[in-house]
Amino acid sequence: MRPGSRLGGRFLGVLVLAAVFAALQLANVTGRDTPDTKNYLSYALSLTGQDKRAAATATIDYVCASRAERARRDQSVHVVRFHRADPTDEVLAECREQEWAVVRPRLAAGQTGGHTVPYMPERFTAIFEARPGYPAFLVPFVLAFGVTWGLWAAGVVIACAGGVLVFLVLRTLAVPVPLALTGQALYYVLPCGTTAMRPMTEGLLMALTLAAVWGCALVLRAGRPRAGLALVAGSLLALFTVKHSQALFLGVCFAAAGAAIALRRHRRRARGRGGPAPREVLALAAVGLAGVAVTLLLARLLHYPSESDSLQDLLTDHFARPDRKHPWPEFWQLQGNFWVEWLRRQAWQPLFVAALGAGLWGALRRGGAVGGFLVAAACTGILTQAGHPDINIWGERLIVLAWLLPVVGVPLLLEPVARGGGGRVPLPARGERDRGERDRGERDRGERDRGERDRAEAVG
């Protein structure tokens, strides 16, 4: 088989998985919205040139249509109310009345600044004004397909891109194609895919974070430091526009991972068991630190909401109550209570913790230095959840970035089994993989030639 046909076959599997996932999403075109969707959608509509009232009308119609659709589906399977009249019109009218009762007075009072329709107090709206990246991404989809299908298509593109990036990360780590496709499938079937399809920032955050991890793999395993470092830096910059706290967390975690790897190798060298830390690891740590510095500087220059604003938002139920005079002691008390309750629930349903453990084992045992940066990327989900210790937030979406660890780490853990061995397989150094493939190709050609000569001699 020619190399070109092998390459086409590999990407055919990637495209088939993405197409199957996209087709399955047709079952739920509506009903995916969250409370944050109104803010992002109205921002995107504002970027298309619509005024506040037109953006509010389109956004409220979308949200209320989704709410009515969910009510219709719920009633159709309710054991008592399934035979009653279709509730769509009633729910739609009630929802529109409720939403306009909040928005109309604020528009009349002159709360029309920025891009977001004033569904919430101005201090809360300012948080979404600092996240232009996702609304800007939505604009071409909304213009091309309208609100409902535009949001659906944007979700499909974001979710499929995340799965493809998982495949690219694993292939760069020399994982066999079937296991790389397994990682892509895991991304789609685990909460990553479900969350990525929601019209909110988390899907784009996961895709950009995976792009940064792929950049680390390009630097450390593919011998392409310039492309890899540029990809990491570009991902951090893009993350700043989508949600600047994620850019901050990823930069901190990458810097910490690079420092930890360098320190470990320094200690191994002191014991005579290894060489110095490669410059590439230190370069990735430096890019992470630069991302932290740029994020903090730009956030200050652009007057983005601070950690104090975020803390008051948390403790006052989105500024619906007066500010807390002593927020930090309350925050730390809530933090402790949250993680105790979170661990109790995980002990009851330990799938997530078990998946994290398997992914961690695979990343550190089979992923080398790239595995360390993968763990760092997953830790941003833990940090995001720690910044918002609210046990009632829908679907544990804040911690969803931690699922990237099992998505990539489990295929790495299974690699020795796929290769037919139960033990640990040494990681190939840069360039060894290519030489190994050339050597195997030459051996295969030699064996075929000898076989043909033997058959010719037997016939003769």
Side-chain angles (χ1 to χ4, degrees):
M1 184 180 291
R2 296 188 304 273
S5 61
R6 287 199 301 270
L7 185 63
R10 293 168 185 172
F11 280 101
L12 178 61
V14 173
L15 294 176
V16 167
L17 275 179
V20 170
F21 174 80
L24 292 175
Q25 305 317 303
L26 289 169
N28 294 278
V29 176
T30 60
R32 299 178 183 270
D33 60 293
T34 71
D36 290 351
T37 299
K38 294 184 293 186
N39 299 290
Y40 294 122
L41 177 56
S42 64
Y43 197 131
L45 293 173
S46 176
L47 293 177
T48 66
Q50 294 191 21
D51 60 23
K52 285 289 188 297
R53 186 165 293 276
T57 300
T59 305
I60 290 174
D61 285 348
Y62 171 79
V63 170
C64 291
S66 292
R67 192 176 300 176
E69 176 66 14
R70 288 195 296 268
R72 183 192 65 78
R73 293 176 183 175
D74 291 344
Q75 179 171 301
S76 69
V77 292
H78 194 282
V79 295
V80 175
R81 299 194 295 267
F82 67 91
H83 52 75
R84 296 181 183 178
D86 188 339
T88 298
D89 292 340
E90 180 182 353
V91 173
L92 197 60
E94 182 181 355
C95 174
R96 285 172 174 165
E97 182 179 354
Q98 290 175 350
E99 295 294 331
W100 277 111
V102 174
V103 173
R104 192 178 290 112
R106 288 179 173 151
L107 291 177
Q111 190 178 334
T112 57
H115 296 283
T116 307
V117 170
Y119 298 105
M120 298 290 285
E122 288 184 288
R123 291 174 67 189
F124 183 74
T125 302
I127 295 174
F128 292 90
E129 291 290 332
R131 302 174 183 176
Y134 179 64
F137 178 84
L138 292 178
V139 167
F141 295 95
V142 173
L143 288 175
F145 305 111
V147 170
T148 300
W149 284 100
L151 289 180
W152 179 88
V156 167
V157 170
I158 289 172
C160 288
V164 172
L165 283 164
V166 171
F167 177 87
L168 292 173
V169 170
L170 289 169
R171 287 299 296 148
T172 306
L173 292 173
V175 171
V177 171
L179 279 180
L181 291 173
T182 300
Q184 181 185 0
L186 285 174
Y187 184 86
Y188 294 149
V189 302
L190 290 175
C192 305
T194 303
T195 304
M197 280 299 301
R198 294 275 181 177
M200 53 186 183
T201 59
E202 275 71 17
L204 196 51
L205 293 180
M206 285 188 287
L208 291 171
T209 301
L210 281 168
V213 174
W214 185 32
C216 295
L218 290 175
V219 171
L220 298 172
R221 296 292 295 278
R224 300 174 60 186
R226 291 184 179 180
L229 291 172
L231 184 56
V232 173
S235 299
L236 288 170
L237 184 60
L239 283 169
F240 177 85
T241 69
V242 178
K243 192 175 182 182
H244 70 280
S245 62
Q246 176 62 16
L248 179 64
F249 292 157
L250 188 60
V252 168
C253 289
F254 270 14
I261 294 169
L263 179 61
R264 181 174 180 271
R265 294 193 176 184
H266 174 74
R267 289 178 176 176
R268 288 173 62 88
R269 183 190 182 194
R271 298 172 187 154
R273 297 171 56 189
R279 290 178 298 176
E280 291 87 349
V281 170
L282 299 177
L284 287 169
V287 170
L289 278 177
V292 172
V294 171
T295 298
L296 293 175
L297 178 61
L298 288 178
R300 183 176 294 274
L301 291 176
L302 295 173
H303 304 290
Y304 278 2
S306 64
E307 65 277 3
S308 177
D309 296 314
S310 179
L311 187 58
Q312 292 291 353
D313 168 52
L314 173 73
L315 297 176
T316 62
D317 191 20
H318 306 312
F319 305 107
R321 296 178 174 84
D323 282 6
R324 311 302 297 179
K325 293 182 178 180
H326 306 288
W328 285 107
E330 295 184 14
F331 173 77
W332 291 118
Q333 180 181 356
L334 180 62
Q335 191 79 231
N337 295 345
F338 172 86
W339 289 110
V340 169
E341 175 62 15
W342 187 87
L343 289 172
R344 188 193 66 79
R345 297 188 183 191
Q346 295 306 313
W348 183 18
Q349 295 177 320
L351 173 62
F352 181 42
V353 173
L356 284 181
L360 181 65
W361 187 12
L364 297 182
R365 183 176 176 82
R366 299 284 310 140
V370 179
F373 286 99
L374 170 63
V375 173
C379 283
T380 61
I382 307 295
L383 290 176
T384 301
Q385 182 67 81
H388 302 78
D390 184 353
I391 206 72
N392 297 313
I393 290 180
W394 170 86
E396 297 185 345
R397 62 182 177 85
L398 294 177
I399 206 171
V400 71
L401 281 151
W403 278 102
L404 299 182
L405 184 56
V407 163
V408 180
V410 168
L412 286 170
L413 185 63
L414 295 176
E415 184 181 1
V417 178
R419 293 188 185 278
R424 181 176 180 179
V425 181
L427 295 171
R430 259 194 320 268
E432 289 183 2
R433 185 172 71 252
D434 296 335
R435 289 195 297 272
E437 291 178 355
R438 289 196 299 270
D439 293 342
R440 284 193 296 272
E442 292 174 0
R443 287 197 300 271
D444 292 342
R445 286 193 295 272
E447 291 174 1
R448 285 196 298 271
D449 293 340
R450 285 195 297 273
E452 291 175 357
R453 286 197 300 271
D454 291 342
R455 286 192 295 273
E457 291 173 0
V459 172

